[in-house]
Amino acid sequence: MLRVMPSGKKTFSFRYQIQGKKRRTKIGEFGDDAHQVLLRDARQKSTQILANVLDGEDPAPEAPENALDAPTAITVNDIIEQYQARLKRRGRRESYL
């Protein structure tokens, strides 16, 4: 498929289903520059991806294994502390804070 973004950027993608999950993998940006992909190249690449999917391989890049080790969400208190620290660096008095 060809996805057209509101900015006008066009990218080729391949949608497939593996183990009951619908997935999409990016083939490349449309165009004739060195880093871009033409329609014929996108068709060849999609044929290769389809062959891999039929063999049971998942062509999409895997999520990092340590995705659960990602930093925790920022709390409101964290934001307040960062804001107050920035105000202190700018020379604001304690009474202002």
Side-chain angles (χ1 to χ4, degrees):
M1 79 171 150
L2 180 67
R3 300 178 71 199
V4 181
M5 305 298 168
S7 64
K9 181 178 177 181
K10 300 172 184 88
T11 56
F12 288 109
S13 297
F14 185 81
R15 289 177 36 173
Y16 60 98
Q17 184 172 344
I18 191 161
Q19 297 176 355
K21 295 182 181 179
K22 293 181 181 180
R23 306 281 312 260
R24 180 178 61 223
T25 186
K26 182 179 173 184
I27 295 174
E29 184 179 342
F30 172 73
D32 57 357
D33 288 341
H35 68 281
Q36 295 176 329
V37 179
L38 294 173
L39 177 61
R40 67 173 177 263
D41 300 327
R43 285 182 175 161
Q44 290 173 352
K45 180 72 173 172
S46 65
T47 303
Q48 294 170 354
I49 293 171
L50 179 60
N52 291 343
V53 169
L54 293 176
D55 288 340
E57 298 176 29
D58 190 357
E62 292 297 321
E65 293 178 16
N66 58 358
L68 297 178
D69 297 335
T72 58
I74 297 174
T75 64
V76 173
N77 286 334
D78 294 337
I79 294 171
I80 291 170
E81 289 174 5
Q82 291 173 3
Y83 181 69
Q84 287 178 341
R86 186 173 26 161
L87 289 176
K88 285 180 185 178
R89 284 193 306 268
R90 292 182 179 174
R92 293 290 184 175
R93 296 181 188 171
E94 281 293 321
S95 61
Y96 179 84
L97 300 176

